[in-house]
């Protein structure tokens, strides 16, 4: 009875029957769109620089919000407590605008400049867990978490990139 | 010298590729067969030519020719041979070349078949195949040349392929080496599988476009590309699963699946490719919705290119992405061109691909498959939106935003639930028409068995409602498939006097494709089981232990024995903890969580120690240790129930695809049956 090899009986196309399938399809698609929109509203994160965080923290619009933040890791600030797995370090402002970064000579140079510049704004980060392998001076840190009351950022996710360890900037091989 | 050979061969293959496109176009517009055959020869030639190029680059990598910029950046003296070879795809330009080479392999392989009956398709398959290849070869030749070398001109170091005036070649004594995270056996197999999966979809796409162009609306293009599609799908699936496995085995990639934008860009063509496979089935069996497979294969092809673009343009912040590059805009132009051209073609042929049939029942097989296609596309839209939303939002509002894993998880969970539900009904549904009553008759027995999937977890103390539902669906799908298999075998035995085993074999043979589909779906359900286990039931703990001390998690106890620190010949410093895994006071296993420090790149890589069983994984990470006294070490410990089923599911899927693509014995009969006029 349920043999796939059976040739289907060529059903007479029934007129007016397709409406229920159109409605069914619309219901499913509407459900998916609702799911998408509602989840998006609940889960959008701001992606900010250190400057922007410091600027906005007093207005209170960041409290309780999940944010994403990027900056350069200040190597000498890294402290790790093995017993509590509490990791603390400071990140330094790096501009988010790609053009500004390119003007400084690429990401690696921008991160280096940031760490060497004492006038840049800084933010303290705390994280509980294993110390990431790539956490080192002049790494780019992309943090997800919340700003906790005293101007400290508590990260629940750390993503680190060391531009020097990856393939360097693309060489200008097409010399004129 | 070798670099010149490699680049020369690359350049020639670009010329040959362009020639092939032009010859095919000329031949088809002037009805001159010799030009088309010449184009076919060109398509055969690109693969050996590019093999010379790839061989040259591998030669340079193996022989430590660090004057080549690419070699100096991805290889080093201390790397073992197998890693030097894998460094071929360890960086931007090399991996693009590898990609082009695989693409050439597929296009060349397509030319081997006999084209007698499909002469009209051939020129357009060549145009699409070699056209795509030309694009990648242009990138490799003019923008991402892996053979660029260092030259010293007066006091400056210049990077160039050809010799600048007054320049001579110099090279560093050692390369900076492959990123340590990539120095893993996973590097040998995950990227090639992923790439094979990506590029193999060129074949069905080329056939689809050829059919569209000549306006041939029968199933021929689907029959010709069916095996290619299945293998493409298998490779893509394996690429994803192997990536997940690698991420699970090495810390630093962020768990088995992190909704990283690059992971998503590999998932998107998988979703549309899966939908394509199913749409094809409806067309073959019912001759319905003939536009759907074409739309889906166009999407898949463009998503493959789009994924490559995302990974290589530096647009994303991801562990996978390559350095920022100039090739982004060219990619966008290529995607826009192929996308617009494909859909313009489809719209101009839309009526030709219309079918007369209409859906008759919600529970017919075609309706159920259609719903699952819609669900897959919903998932695709979600992931696509999640990846591009940050860029759109930045354009419009100026605020940089991102969406994280919670967004994807919230949408994915109900959609996965919906797909599992359809997988419950689908094996029982029949084509064309089926009543709910008929389904009910077949469903009630498996339904009762599936209740075990609710009762057992609840008795085991499970209280999470979504988890109970998930377990029930998994049990239901397995029960339905089991009952259906037994029922069909019994039917057979009623009419033929065969032993049970023989009947199993015969039924299998007669309905190979349908059973292969069953096997693949059971594999998917196993994988779902693994995902449910790790997503709902993962527990963790951490602690600093002195030698001989213990730590407990779930029903396990781990005892820290000692720490061994030593150097290896390939320039690593390894810190390895010896850990005993115990249960009820009995030692079950010894595992070795460790941290490798790579001297040449000054970077550590953490590798967990894992004890894996069908029930659960005990997963221990060495976080830190007291360097001088080596008395105490800190561990982070995870208990991951059922995660092994994720990998078992993958093996089941491989088996299913092998069954599905196994050459037919009575192939001549099958062809004549399928080729009947509609």
């Amino acid at each position: 009875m349920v043999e796939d090899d059976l040739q289907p009986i060529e059903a007479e196309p029934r007129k007016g029957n397709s409406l229920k399938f159109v409605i069914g399809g619309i219901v499913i698609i509407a459900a998916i769109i609702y799911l998408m929109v509602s989840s998006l509203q609940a889960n959008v994160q701001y992606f900010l620089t250190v400057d922007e965080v410091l600027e906005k923290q007093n207005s209170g619009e960041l409290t309780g919000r999940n944010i994403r933040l990027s900056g350069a890791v200040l190597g000498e600030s890294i402290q790790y407590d093995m017993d509590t797995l509490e990791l603390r370090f400071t990140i330094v402002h790096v501009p988010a605008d790609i053009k500004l970064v390119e003007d400084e000579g690429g990401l690696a140079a921008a991160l280096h400049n940031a760490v060497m510049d004492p006038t840049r704004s800084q933010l303290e980060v705390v994280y509980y867990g294993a110390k990431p392998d790539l956490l080192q001076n002049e790494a780019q840190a992309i943090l997800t978490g919340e700003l906790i009351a005293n101007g400290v950022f508590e990260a629940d996710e750390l993503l680190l990139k060391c531009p020097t360890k990856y393939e360097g900037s693309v060489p200008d091989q097409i010399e004129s | 010298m070798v670099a010149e050979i490699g680049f020369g061969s690359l350049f020639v293959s670009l010329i040959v590729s362009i020639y092939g496109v032009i010859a095919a176009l000329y031949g088809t517009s002037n009805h001159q067969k010799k030009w088309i055959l010449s184009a076919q020869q060109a398509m055969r030639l690109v693969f050996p030519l590019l093999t010379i190029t790839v061989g040259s680059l591998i030669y340079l990598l193996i022989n430590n020719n660090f004057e080549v910029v690419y070699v100096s950046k991805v290889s080093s003296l201390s790397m073992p041979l197998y890693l030097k070879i894998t460094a071929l795809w360890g960086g931007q330009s090399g991996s693009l070349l590898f990609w082009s080479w695989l693409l050439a392999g597929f296009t060349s392989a397509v030319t081997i078949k006999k084209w007698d009956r499909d002469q009209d398709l051939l020129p357009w398959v060549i145009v699409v195949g070699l056209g795509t290849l030309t694009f990648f070869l242009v990138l490799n030749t003019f923008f991402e040349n892996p053979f660029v070398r260092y030259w010293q001109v007066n006091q400056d170091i210049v990077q160039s392929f050809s010799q600048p005036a007054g320049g001579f070649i110099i090279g560093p004594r050692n390369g900076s080496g492959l990123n340590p995270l990539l120095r893993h056996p996973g590097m040998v197999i995950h990227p090639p599988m992923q790439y094979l999966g990506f590029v193999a979809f060129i074949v069905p796409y080329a056939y689809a476009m050829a059919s569209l162009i000549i306006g041939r609306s029968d199933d021929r293009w689907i029959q010709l590309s069916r095996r290619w599609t299945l293998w493409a799908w298998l490779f893509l699936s394996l690429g994803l699963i192997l990536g997940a496995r690698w991420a699970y085995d090495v810390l630093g990639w962020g768990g088995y699946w992190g909704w990283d934008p690059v992971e998503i860009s590999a998932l998107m063509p998988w979703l549309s490719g899966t939908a394509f496979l199913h749409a094809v089935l409806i067309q073959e069996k019912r001759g319905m919705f003939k536009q759907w497979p074409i739309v889906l294969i166009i999407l898949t092809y463009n998503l493959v290119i789009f994924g490559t673009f995302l990974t290589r343009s530096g647009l994303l912040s991801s562990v996978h992405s390559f350095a920022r590059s100039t090739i982004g805009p060219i990619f966008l132009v290529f995607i826009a061109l192929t996308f617009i051209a494909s859909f313009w073609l489809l719209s101009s042929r839309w009526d030709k691909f219309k079918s007369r049939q209409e859906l008759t029942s919600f529970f017919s097989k075609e309706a159920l498959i259609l719903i699952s296609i819609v669900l897959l596309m919903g998932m695709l839209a979600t992931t696509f939106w999640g990846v591009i939303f940050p860029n759109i939002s930045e354009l419009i509002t100026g605020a940089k935003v991102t969406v994280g894993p919670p967004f994807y998880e919230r949408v994915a969970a109900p959609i996965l639930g919906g797909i599992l539900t359809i997988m419950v009904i689908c094996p029982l549904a029949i084509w064309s028409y089926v009543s709910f009553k008929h389904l009910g008759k077949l469903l009630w027995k498996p339904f009762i068995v599936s209740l075990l999937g609710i009762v057992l977890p609840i008795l085991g103390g499970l209280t999470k409602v979504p988890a109970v539902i998930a377990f029930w669906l998994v049990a239901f799908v397995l029960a339905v498939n089991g009952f259906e298999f037994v029922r069909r075998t019994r039917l057979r035995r009623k009419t033929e006097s065969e032993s049970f085993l023989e009947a199993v074999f015969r039924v299998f043979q007669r309905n190979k494709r349908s059973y292969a589909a069953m096997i693949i779906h059971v594999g998917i359900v196993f994988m779902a089981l693994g995902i449910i286990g790790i997503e709902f039931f993962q527990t963790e703990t951490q602690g600093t232990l002195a030698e001989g001390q213990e730590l407990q998690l779930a029903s396990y106890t781990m005892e820290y024995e000692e720490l061994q620190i030593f150097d290896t010949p390939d320039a690593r410093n390894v810190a390895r903890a010896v850990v005993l895994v115990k249960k009820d006071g009995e030692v079950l296993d010894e595992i070795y969580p460790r941290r490798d420090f790579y001297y040449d790149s000054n970077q550590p890589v953490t590798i967990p120690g894992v004890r894996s069983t069908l029930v659960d994984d005990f997963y221990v990470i060495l976080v830190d240790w007291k360097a001088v006294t080596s008395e105490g070490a800190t561990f982070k410990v995870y208990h991951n129930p059922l995660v092994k089923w994720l990998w078992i599911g993958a093996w089941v899927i491989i088996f299913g695809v092998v069954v599905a693509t196994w050459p037919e014995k009575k192939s001549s009969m099958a062809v004549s049956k399928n080729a009947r006029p509609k």
Side-chain angles (χ1 to χ4, degrees), chain B residues 588-642:
Chain B
L588 297 174
D589 213 343
E590 200 174 270
I591 54 175
Y592 312 100
R594 63 176 218 260
R595 170 111 55 117
D596 295 4
F597 184 84
Y598 286 83
Y599 289 114
D600 53 5
S601 48
N602 205 18
Q603 186 187 320
V605 170
T606 304
I607 296 155
V610 185
R611 179 179 192 272
S612 183
T613 66
L614 290 179
V615 180
D616 52 13
D617 277 18
F618 193 71
Y619 186 101
V620 180
I621 298 166
L622 174 63
V623 177
D624 208 351
W625 59 91
K626 301 227 164 62
V628 190
T629 58
S630 78
E631 274 175 341
T634 306
F635 296 94
K636 179 122 195 163
V637 190
Y638 293 91
H639 180 245
N640 302 329
L642 298 174

Side-chain angles (χ1 to χ4, degrees), chain A:
Chain A
M1 188 159 32
V2 193
E3 292 287 16
D4 284 335
D5 275 357
L6 284 182
Q7 287 311 314
I9 312 133
E10 297 281 310
E12 285 290 307
R14 284 185 248 168
K15 294 275 179 248
N17 197 19
S18 59
L19 184 67
K20 71 174 182 187
F21 298 105
V22 173
I23 293 173
I26 290 173
V27 168
I28 294 173
I29 291 167
I32 292 172
I33 291 175
Y34 167 76
L35 206 59
M36 255 173 82
V37 172
S38 66
S39 308
L40 192 64
Q41 276 167 350
N43 293 298
V44 161
Q45 302 163 329
Y46 284 114
F47 198 171
L48 302 172
T49 62
V50 175
D51 273 358
E52 286 164 335
V53 170
L54 295 175
E55 197 178 293
K56 286 182 179 170
Q57 67 170 351
N58 294 326
S59 69
E61 69 177 289
L62 295 182
T63 28
R65 282 214 71 135
N66 200 270
I67 41 183
R68 232 172 186 222
L69 167 68
S70 83
V73 175
L74 194 60
E76 65 216 35
S77 69
I78 301 171
Q79 288 172 8
Y80 191 52
D81 184 339
M82 264 176 59
D83 295 326
T84 57
L85 300 197
E86 185 188 87
L87 176 66
R88 280 179 183 272
F89 59 93
T90 302
I91 57 168
V92 187
H93 174 76
V94 175
D97 194 336
I98 288 158
K99 281 201 194 80
L100 289 177
V101 171
E102 298 281 295
D103 288 347
E104 288 192 56
L107 187 58
L111 290 167
H112 178 74
N113 293 345
V115 169
M116 302 312 281
D117 182 357
T119 63
R120 297 265 183 119
S121 53
Q122 301 184 339
L123 188 68
E124 197 181 339
V125 177
V126 59
Y127 172 78
Y128 296 93
K131 185 174 154 189
D133 293 335
L134 293 172
L135 186 75
Q136 48 184 274
N137 196 31
E138 294 180 17
Q140 183 194 20
I142 297 167
L143 317 163
T144 311
E146 272 180 37
L147 202 61
I148 46 182
N150 48 357
V152 179
F153 188 82
E154 185 175 336
D156 41 46
E157 197 195 311
L158 293 181
L159 181 71
L160 290 147
K161 266 184 95 166
C162 302
T164 49
K165 298 296 178 297
Y166 284 72
E167 213 188 331
S169 61
V170 174
D172 307 319
Q173 63 265 63
I174 327 154
E175 302 283 353
S176 49

Side-chain angles (χ1 to χ4, degrees), chain B residues 171-223:
Chain B
R173 237 173 301 155
N174 196 355
S176 45
L178 204 57
N179 177 355
L181 276 176
L182 301 179
R183 299 187 196 185
H184 181 268
M187 183 66 182
V188 178
I189 186 156
H190 160 60
M193 280 295 162
Q194 197 79 58
Y195 282 24
L196 276 174
F198 284 145
V199 298
F201 274 110
I202 183 78
V203 181
Y205 174 74
Y207 279 117
M209 287 301 105
S211 284
L212 267 188
I213 292 169
I214 63 171
R216 187 169 164 182
S217 65
D218 62 2
D219 295 351
R220 187 63 185 154
W221 74 274
I222 284 176
Q223 289 159 12

Side-chain angles (χ1 to χ4, degrees), chain B residues 419-432:
Chain B
I419 290 175
L420 280 177
T421 310
I422 291 175
M423 281 163 69
V424 169
I425 314 172
C426 216
L428 306 176
I430 50 179
W431 298 100
S432 179

